[in-house]
Amino acid sequence: MSDLFSKFDPLIQQRDELLATGLTDPFNLVMEKVESPTVAICNGKRTILLGTYNYMGMTFDPDVIAAGKQALDDFGSGTTGSRVLNGTYGGHKAVEEALKDFYAMDHAMVFSTGYQANLGVISTIAGKDDYIVLDIDSHASIYDGCALGNAQIIPFRHNDIEALEKRLKRIPEGADKLVVLEGVYSMLGDVAPLKEMVAVSKANGAMVLIDEAHSMGFIGENGRGVAEAQGVIDDVDFIIGTFSKSVGTVGGFCVSNHPKFEILRLVCRPYVFTASLPPSVVATAATSIRKLMDSADKRAHLWENSKRLHAGLRQLGFTLGTDEPQSAIIAVIMPDLEKGAAMWEALLNEGLYVNLARPPATPAGMTLLRCSLCALHSEEQVGEILGMFAAAGRATGCIS
Ligand SMILES: Cc1ncc(COP(=O)(O)O)c(C=O)c1O
């Protein structure tokens, strides 16, 4: 009798050994009550949230909540159908209009998650005879999109412009090629040199797709992301994004100016063969996206928070993923999984939630405590957070 689960034995053993030390399971925490975008009750205790992707704090916005409630009353709890059959309501069109306005682009297509947006768009546009050149630290959904389409994958060293150029030049003459990049890389919170990379891609005849999941709403003058901030958004062929971060709900999308873009609605399997988002979700997303257009003050405050936390952690003696704060993600590098898990638990006991990230999700086998800031964290909360890092860091021997 075969045991198809035997391949997981090393992971099961590692996990059992870690939990046998008496540690709280870092991947099984329950948020018993969520009081605001920055505070929840965990294990009966008030806990500051520093590990969500709620960058712009939209989850409790009164207008967003009102729009969701109204849509539930008017349209029911779900569509029970695909976008191409009975699953397109007025709200789906309205959120696509909001996206077109937000990005100032001609086309917007909404998927049920950001994962499906990458899976769908990448696998549909790049097939067996096409080449995809991608940063080696790309998100799993990008790799899965490449695999589903069966394209030839050529990874290059993280954020290395020369390596990208070399890979592009090696592709056989006449082959179609797509370069896939991210604006902000979510593990270390570092930003891609998109200005140079988009230029190199275009000079070598490639189309460019950028995943701006972690920059939408925050980075760039209008919150359109790193491509906007670096002045290359008009040269980008496709932007992929998600509603599960700054927008504050769930869903994914692609925006583009490509004149043939709309045909994707008929040929993209992760769009066609799945149910569309519930009416309440698209209503909350549309309201949130329209409010994000006018959020310069919140963007400025989030930058302040990011700078304050980065400087404070550094001063305490922690090793961080970037020399300067580049986004709303600040990664604290831990020496190993055991120390990382101990520090994670000590922070939770102090009343702070951060994300524990470990391989294979992390680059170079690193264990990270990923902190992601919210525009609604107050200056006082950032001070509290630093106090908790100091106490937990000393208790676990991560800092002296
Ligand atoms: C870079 C990137 N792309 C795509 C996704 C998928 O987004 P979603 O949560 O909407 O599936 C994520 C989620 O973490 C991400 O970090």
Side-chain angles (χ1 to χ4, degrees), residues 53 113-115 118 139 141 182 186 211 213-214 242-245 251:
Y53 295 129
T113 62
Y115 178 91
N118 269 329
H139 189 259
S141 57
E182 293 178 31
S186 65
D211 181 332
H214 292 274
T242 174
F243 297 162
S244 71
K245 307 193 193 303

Side-chain angles (χ1 to χ4, degrees), residues 55 152 163 196 262 293 348:
Y55 300 124
Q152 310 289 320
E196 294 80 4
E262 294 295 326
M293 287 186 209
L348 192 64

Side-chain angles (χ1 to χ4, degrees), residues 78 139 152 156 160 180 204 213 216 257 273 304 321 338 348 353:
H139 189 259
Q152 310 289 320
F156 65 89
D160 186 330
V180 180
N204 286 277
M216 181 192 185
N257 285 327
F273 294 104
E304 284 309 313
E338 285 69 30
L348 192 64
Y353 176 78

Side-chain angles (χ1 to χ4, degrees), residues 130-395:
D130 305 321
Y131 288 78
I132 297 178
V133 186
L134 79 169
D135 189 293
I136 197 152
D137 288 350
S138 292
H139 189 259
S141 57
I142 293 175
Y143 276 104
D144 292 356
C146 296
L148 185 68
N150 230 349
Q152 310 289 320
I153 304 174
I154 312 180
F156 65 89
R157 209 168 73 140
H158 179 55
N159 272 352
D160 186 330
I161 303 160
E162 256 177 57
L164 164 64
E165 187 166 29
K166 267 191 206 150
R167 302 292 183 285
L168 279 167
K169 290 203 184 303
R170 262 188 237 151
I171 294 174
E173 192 89 6
D176 284 327
K177 39 195 180 281
L178 176 69
V179 170
V180 180
L181 306 166
E182 293 178 31
V184 171
Y185 286 86
S186 65
M187 286 299 139
L188 296 177
D190 55 332
V191 158
L194 290 187
K195 189 169 192 255
E196 294 80 4
M197 287 188 155
V198 171
V200 160
S201 305
K202 291 282 145 183
N204 286 277
M207 289 184 120
V208 179
L209 178 149
I210 303 197
D211 181 332
E212 295 271 19
H214 292 274
S215 44
M216 181 192 185
F218 171 39
I219 297 183
E221 195 187 342
N222 299 290
R224 292 174 189 154
V226 178
E228 180 188 37
Q230 297 187 14
V232 289
I233 196 161
D234 292 339
D235 300 323
V236 173
D237 298 280
F238 310 96
I239 291 179
I240 295 283
T242 174
F243 297 162
S244 71
K245 307 193 193 303
S246 286
V247 178
T249 177
V250 68
F253 64 87
C254 180
V255 292
S256 174
N257 285 327
H258 197 290
K260 299 178 196 165
F261 185 78
E262 294 295 326
I263 197 64
L264 288 181
R265 292 189 200 270
L266 296 183
V267 293
C268 179
R269 294 166 71 87
Y271 178 84
V272 174
F273 294 104
T274 197
S276 63
L277 288 167
S280 54
V281 169
V282 284
T284 54
T287 306
S288 177
I289 291 163
R290 293 217 176 267
K291 290 193 86 165
L292 288 176
M293 287 186 209
D294 190 24
S295 296
D297 289 352
K298 277 169 107 180
R299 284 192 264 282
H301 181 70
L302 184 48
W303 272 122
E304 284 309 313
N305 279 348
S306 185
K307 286 179 195 158
R308 205 172 285 133
L309 185 67
H310 192 282
L313 288 172
R314 228 171 161 187
Q315 210 168 11
L316 285 172
F318 289 101
T319 308
L320 306 183
T322 55
D323 290 341
E324 300 293 329
Q326 297 185 15
S327 68
I329 301 170
I330 294 167
V332 183
I333 301 174
M334 292 285 108
D336 53 43
L337 180 59
E338 285 69 30
K339 265 262 190 287
M343 178 73 188
W344 176 87
E345 187 176 46
L347 285 171
L348 192 64
N349 290 337
E350 289 284 329
L352 181 66
Y353 176 78
V354 299
N355 277 318
L356 177 67
R358 48 169 288 179
T362 51
M366 282 191 260
T367 296
L368 305 171
L369 293 180
R370 279 168 63 242
C371 307
S372 31
L373 286 147
C374 174
L376 298 189
H377 280 125
S378 63
E379 194 175 336
E380 294 70 38
Q381 278 178 321
V382 177
E384 256 186 278
I385 290 166
L386 286 169
M388 292 175 188
F389 260 96
R394 287 186 191 121

